[in-house]
Amino acid sequence: MATYSRLPGSVALITLQNPPVNALSAAVRQGIVDTVQRALKDPKVTSVVICGQNGKFCGGADIREFAGPMLGPPLVPMIHAIEAVDKPVAAAIEGVALGGGLELALGCHYRIAHSKALLGLPEVTLGLLPGAGGSQRLPRLIGLTAALDLITTGRHISAAEALKLGILDQVTDNNVVDQAVEFVRRVAGQPLDSRRLSTLPCPPDVDSLLDKAMVKVRQRSRGALAPVACVQALMAAASLPYTQGMEKERELLTTLFNSGQARALQYAFFSQRVVGKWSLPSGASWDNSAARPISKAAVIGLGTMGRGIVVALALTGISVVAVETQEKQLAEASQAVPAMLQREAGRRGLATPPGVISFSSNLQDVSEVELVIEAVFEDMSLKLQVFRHLTSVCRPGTLLCSNTSGLDIDQLAAVTQSPGLVVGMHFFAPAHVMKLLEVVYGPRSSPEAVATAMQLGKRMGKVSVAVGNCPGFVGNRMLKPYLEQANFLLEEGATPQQVDEALEEFGFPMGVFRMSDLSGLDVGWRIRKEAGLTGPGVESTRTRQGRRYSPLPDQVCEAGRLGQKTGRGWYQYDGPGGRVARSDPWVHIFLEAYRAEHDLVARSIAPEEILERCLYALINEGFNILQDAMAAGPEDIDAIYVFGYGWPRHHGGPMFHAGQVGLGRILERLQHHHHNHPDVPHLKPSTLLRRLVAVGSPPVQKWREFINKERVHSQL
Ligand SMILES: CC(C)(COP(=O)(O)OP(=O)(O)OC[C@H]1O[C@@H](n2cnc3c(N)ncnc32)[C@H](O)[C@@H]1OP(=O)(O)O)[C@@H](O)C(=O)NCCC(=O)NCCSC(=O)C[C@@H](O)CCCCCCCCCCCCC(=O)O
C-alpha cells in the first residue's frame, strides 16, 4: 500500500509500504493511484514527494506477481498519470530504485537521492526489459549510449554515477525526504514541461550505435532473448515517436514475459535467495544456528586456489596468514597475491585493504587464527597430514575447513580433536572471482561450523550452498556422468567440435572439451587415478569397476596433450598458453585408430542426441542427489550449476530445465538411452524421477515438499 500525509508548507508525502523492498505489488500500485489523485485534488497541496518506507525507495515490480494473472492498476498508466500532474512531483530515493522503481522515479519531475542509494534497470537479468516506460524515458534523459549500457547490462549504479549521467537532480548525505521536500518547495510554480521525459525528443542513432550493439549483444547473449529485446526497444525509442515507442516496448515485453526464459531467470533470482536459507537433514538451519565472527584466518597452500582464497578473504577485511611450505612457491605467491588483491579491489571499486596478509612457510604461524582453509594438492594422504598437524597447532575451537573438490570431509574430520569443527569450503577457480561456494557438511559437522562457513561465504560475496558429503559433492558428482557421456559420444562417432558446438549452442560458455583443455587434462586424470580408474597397473579396457569406461581422455593426457598449457589437447593452439582452439588432425586420426582398435563403427550423431545424452545424464544424477539428501532442494543444485558450472542462467538450472522439458519426456529419453547402453548405470532413471512422474510431474517449486513427504513414508 501507500500512505498519504500532508507536511507543513503544502507538500504531500506519499510513502510506499511493502516490506522488505517496497515492490510495486497490486496494493502498492492502487495506493499510489489513490494518493496521487488525493494530492491532485487537494488545493492546499502545491507539490508532492514520493518515498519508500524503511530506507528503501522501491525494488521494482513485484516479481512474485509475475507467476499469476496481473491484478490491480497497471504500472504504465499509473506512471503517466504522475508525469501529467501539474504540481511538481519528486522521488526521494533511499536504498534502491531498481526496475519499475526507477521507472516510477523517471515518471516524477525530479529525482533526489541519498549518496548511498543504488539505481538501475535490472529487468534484463530477469528475462524482461524495462517495461513501464523505462526503455523510452531513460534514453530521452541520458542519451542512447548510457541508456544502452544500463539497460542491456542491468547493472546497479551509485547515486554519484547517476548524478553524473543526469538521472538525478541532487544527491545528499542528509535525510533524503527532508531534502526532497525542500527541493519541491523551491521549484513549486515553475513550468514542468521540460521535466516530462515522455514529451522530450530522443536523440537519434546517428552513428548506428544500436546496430553495432545488436551485433555484439547477439554474439554475447548465447541465445538469451532479453538483451536483444532491450536493444530493439532502444531502436524504437531512437526512431519512433514516444507513443509508438511505448507500443513497441509493450509488444517486446509481452513476448519476453511469455517466454520460458523469463520464467527461468525469475526462478534463478529466487533460487539464489532460497539457498541462503539453508537447512540440514539434522534440522539445523540458517535461522536456528549462530555463526561465529571471524577476523583472523589462515590459508594453507598457495597454488592457484589458495592464492584466490587469500584474496577473497582479504577483500572482506579479514587478516590472513598465508602459509606455503615450499619456498619457491611461497616467494612467487608473496609477489603475486598483493598484485591480485590490488587488481580485484580496483575491479570492485574498493580501496586495497592495507597489510591484512602475512606470508609464512611455517604451519606453527596459524596458531592464533579462528579459521583455517586448507588448499593443498587434491591428495587425501597429504590433506590428512595437514589436518593432523593443524589440530595439534591451532588453539581449541578453531574451525578447520578443506577446499577439497570432492574428497571425504568425514575422513579429514576423523583425524582432528574436534570433528564438529570441520567442514568443506569448495571454492571455484579463480576463487576470488567465481561466485559459487559449496559448503560441505559431514555427518559430524556442527551447525555452528556450517553457519560460520555459510556466513563467511556471504561476506566474500559468494552464493554459498550447503551440500552433503559424498564423492564430488553436488557439482562435481553431476559433472561425472556429463563428462562420461561426452567421451562415449566420441567413441561412437562424434568429434570434440560437434559435442562442444551442441553444448555451446544450448548456452554453455564452453563445451566439455574446450573446458577440459582450459583446466588441463591432467586434473581429471589425477582424480581418476585417485579413484583407481587409471594409472600404472590398471588394465586398459573399456570396462572398469564393473561399468563402461572410456580411456580416451587418459590416452590423450598420457600423450602429453594436457590442453592449453601444452598448446595441444582436444584441440590445437598457437602454442603453450594459447587460447584459440582449432581442430587438430591428430585428434581425428587418434579417434579413428581408437575406434578401429576397439571395433567401434562411427555413426553420425545429431546435436539433439548429444544434448540429451550429456544433459539428461547430468540431470538424472541431480535427482539421485536429491534422493540421497545431499542437496536440500532443486534450487540448491540449480544455483550451483548457474554460479559454478556455466549453466546458462536463461535455462534456470538443470533441475528447472528438467521441469521445462517435462519430467515424463526426460524419463522416457533416459529409459531409451539406458536401453541402448545398459552398461552405463548413470543413464538408469533415478527412483525420484520415476516417483515424480508417477504423481503427475509437479512443478519444481513443489519437489522439496514431495521429497520430504516421500522420505517420511520411506518411498525413497
Ligand atoms: C532490492 C535488492 C537489491 C535487495 O537486496 P538485499 O540483498 O537487501 O535483499 P534480498 O535480495 O535478499 O531481498 C529481500 C527479499 O525481498 C525479495 N525481493 C526483492 N526484490 C523483489 C521484487 N522486485 N519483487 C518481489 N520480491 C522481491 C527477495 O526475494 C527477498 O525475499 P525472501 O523472501 O527471498 O527473503 C534485491 O532484492 C534485488 O535486486 N531485487 C530485484 C530488483 C529487480 O530486479 N527489480 C526489477 C523487477 S522487474 C520490473 O521492475 C519490471 C518493470 O520494468 C515493470 C514491467 C511492467 C510489468 C507489467 C507486467 C505486464 C505484463 C505484460 C505482458 C502481458 C502478458 C500477456 O498479455 O499475455
Side-chain angles (χ1 to χ4, degrees):
M1 61 178 237
T3 59
Y4 182 89
S5 54
R6 215 176 70 219
L7 306 179
S10 315
V11 179
L13 180 67
I14 295 173
T15 308
L16 314 187
Q17 296 194 345
N18 183 16
V21 300
N22 299 319
L24 294 162
S25 62
V28 173
R29 298 196 303 275
Q30 188 63 59
I32 296 174
V33 168
D34 295 345
T35 49
V36 168
Q37 273 297 317
R38 196 165 155 193
L40 198 59
K41 282 190 191 144
D42 187 341
K44 294 213 180 84
V45 165
T46 56
S47 45
V48 183
V49 168
I50 303 180
C51 68
Q53 188 194 31
N54 292 338
K56 293 221 164 73
F57 178 69
C58 177
D62 191 334
I63 307 166
R64 288 188 199 278
E65 281 187 355
F66 293 167
M70 295 303 281
L71 305 169
L75 263 181
V76 169
M78 182 196 92
I79 294 174
H80 273 140
I82 294 171
E83 196 184 56
V85 170
D86 56 3
K87 305 172 185 186
V89 183
I93 300 171
E94 237 184 319
V96 287
L98 297 173
L102 181 55
E103 292 175 295
L104 167 65
L106 291 173
C108 297
H109 307 121
Y110 300 97
R111 288 159 291 280
I112 291 90
H114 190 269
S115 53
K116 296 219 168 98
L118 290 176
L119 294 85
L121 292 173
E123 285 88 342
V124 68
T125 64
L126 298 168
L128 302 174
L129 54 74
S135 74
Q136 306 301 301
R137 283 195 179 90
L138 191 65
R140 285 173 160 79
L141 181 63
I142 64 171
L144 284 173
T145 310
L148 178 72
D149 168 40
L150 292 191
I151 291 176
T152 56
T153 63
R155 70 188 178 94
H156 298 182
I157 58 170
S158 65
E161 186 176 353
L163 182 70
K164 212 161 141 196
L165 287 173
I167 296 175
L168 296 174
D169 297 287
Q170 190 182 316
V171 173
T172 178
D173 289 327
N174 301 323
N175 182 308
V176 72
V177 175
D178 291 349
Q179 294 296 311
V181 168
E182 205 180 301
F183 190 101
V184 285
R185 279 198 194 120
R186 230 179 21 243
V187 296
Q190 290 182 14
L192 290 171
D193 286 351
S194 65
R195 310 300 311 180
R196 296 191 173 101
L197 300 180
S198 71
T199 65
L200 305 182
C202 183
D205 184 10
V206 277
D207 296 325
S208 303
L209 167 85
L210 296 174
D211 291 331
K212 289 176 200 152
M214 184 62 98
V215 173
K216 271 199 198 143
V217 159
R218 280 194 202 279
Q219 269 166 3
R220 277 200 217 126
S221 58
R222 301 199 317 267
L225 300 172
V228 174
C230 286
V231 181
Q232 286 172 324
L234 285 166
M235 286 174 161
S239 59
L240 299 172
Y242 174 78
T243 316
Q244 286 175 39
M246 284 301 287
E247 279 166 19
K248 186 70 185 171
E249 184 190 89
R250 170 83 191 182
E251 182 195 310
L252 291 165
L253 178 69
T254 305
T255 307
L256 292 177
F257 207 78
N258 293 319
S259 72
Q261 292 196 3
R263 277 189 290 278
L265 286 157
Q266 287 153 30
Y267 165 85
F269 172 84
F270 287 115
S271 46
Q272 186 179 343
R273 281 145 186 90
V274 166
V275 298
K277 297 181 178 169
W278 56 274
S279 61
L280 310 186
S282 64
S285 64
W286 65 283
D287 55 354
N288 64 18
S289 312
R292 281 197 204 166
I294 301 293
S295 60
K296 281 183 276 175
V299 176
I300 314 292
L302 298 180
T304 313
M305 289 308 290
R307 292 177 195 189
I309 298 170
V310 172
V311 172
L313 287 168
L315 282 167
T316 67
I318 290 175
S319 62
V320 189
V321 183
V323 181
E324 171 58 64
T325 52
Q326 292 183 22
E327 290 296 342
K328 185 167 172 278
Q329 179 99 301
L330 178 66
E332 280 170 14
S334 47
Q335 293 290 313
V337 170
M340 283 165 68
L341 178 63
Q342 195 175 7
R343 260 198 315 275
E344 188 58 18
R347 196 178 70 87
R348 297 188 195 185
L350 304 170
T352 311
V356 289
I357 307 173
S358 60
F359 292 91
S360 169
S361 60
N362 189 351
L363 262 178
Q364 294 295 124
D365 288 344
V366 305
S367 60
E368 291 306 309
V369 303
E370 296 140 343
L371 177 143
V372 182
I373 303 177
E374 162 279 306
V376 301
F377 214 59
E378 193 71 352
D379 175 324
M380 187 47 119
S381 53
L382 179 61
K383 284 184 191 285
L384 284 170
Q385 205 181 317
V386 171
F387 269 72
R388 278 193 199 99
H389 204 101
L390 288 174
T391 199
S392 67
V393 170
C394 295
R395 60 182 183 188
T398 305
L399 255 75
L400 302 182
C401 312
S402 172
N403 174 50
T404 172
S405 59
L407 297 178
D408 185 357
I409 293 300
D410 198 33
Q411 218 180 317
L412 295 175
V415 300
T416 69
Q417 283 156 20
S418 307
L421 295 179
V422 175
V423 289
M425 286 183 84
H426 178 205
F427 290 82
F428 290 73
H432 55 304
V433 177
M434 288 289 283
K435 290 280 281 181
L436 179 66
L437 176 70
E438 281 185 322
V439 171
V440 190
Y441 57 88
R444 292 192 271 180
S445 304
S446 66
E448 187 190 28
V450 177
T452 306
M454 292 292 286
Q455 171 83 343
L456 185 57
K458 197 171 175 187
R459 267 175 82 184
M460 289 187 277
K462 308 279 178 209
V463 175
S464 311
V465 187
V467 299
N469 180 35
C470 58
F473 313 135
V474 168
N476 286 343
R477 176 169 161 183
M478 289 169 70
L479 202 61
K480 196 173 165 196
Y482 169 79
L483 299 178
E484 187 184 83
Q485 285 303 314
N487 293 326
F488 294 160
L489 287 161
L490 296 192
E491 290 187 337
E492 292 165 37
T495 64
Q497 291 91 313
Q498 284 169 337
V499 175
D500 283 351
E501 273 161 25
L503 294 167
E504 286 160 19
E505 187 63 24
F506 178 74
F508 279 100
M510 268 187 212
V512 169
F513 296 106
R514 261 187 253 279
M515 180 51 86
S516 169
D517 273 1
L518 175 68
S519 39
L521 273 79
D522 50 328
V523 176
W525 185 89
R526 250 187 255 113
I527 292 170
R528 293 189 293 277
K529 179 171 172 284
E530 182 89 357
L533 283 163
T534 193
V538 177
E539 210 187 327
S540 182
T541 53
R542 289 183 52 245
T543 303
R544 296 190 197 174
Q545 299 179 354
R547 54 176 69 183
R548 180 173 168 189
Y549 180 84
S550 171
L552 274 172
D554 298 333
Q555 292 181 4
V556 174
C557 178
E558 284 156 12
R561 303 177 64 102
L562 306 189
Q564 287 188 5
K565 57 186 160 191
T566 56
R568 298 265 186 280
W570 293 107
Y571 296 90
Q572 58 177 322
Y573 300 84
D574 284 341
R579 292 285 160 107
V580 182
R582 278 179 289 112
S583 170
D584 190 339
W586 183 93
V587 173
H588 301 285
I589 295 166
F590 161 75
L591 286 175
E592 274 167 31
Y594 175 92
R595 291 183 197 120
E597 183 193 338
H598 294 284
D599 292 330
L600 296 166
V601 180
R603 63 186 171 90
S604 145
I605 301 179
E608 294 73 32
E609 179 177 344
I610 295 174
L611 280 186
E612 279 187 6
R613 296 263 302 270
C614 293
L615 301 188
Y616 295 2
L618 176 143
I619 287 169
N620 195 38
E621 195 57 22
F623 282 112
N624 286 329
I625 283 170
L626 289 174
Q627 190 175 306
D628 299 348
M630 292 294 130
E635 296 87 352
D636 300 66
I637 294 178
D638 287 336
I640 286 172
Y641 261 79
V642 165
F643 290 103
Y645 291 84
W647 182 278
R649 202 177 156 91
H650 61 268
H651 286 302
M655 308 320 286
F656 179 86
H657 182 66
Q660 293 286 90
V661 171
L663 299 186
R665 165 94 186 149
I666 303 267
L667 175 60
E668 183 250 302
R669 296 312 293 160
L670 278 169
Q671 281 167 331
H672 168 84
H673 294 303
H674 190 230
H675 175 80
N676 289 345
H677 305 278
D679 52 351
V680 182
H682 282 126
L683 290 172
K684 182 173 180 222
S686 108
T687 306
L688 173 60
L689 172 61
R690 288 179 189 280
R691 290 287 305 138
L692 283 163
V693 173
V695 297
S697 302
V700 65
Q701 291 82 357
K702 301 272 181 209
W703 296 1
R704 200 179 278 249
E705 190 188 331
F706 175 78
I707 294 165
N708 290 339
K709 271 197 202 140
E710 291 279 288
R711 201 159 282 133
V712 169
H713 298 115
S714 306
Q715 298 284 353
L716 289 178

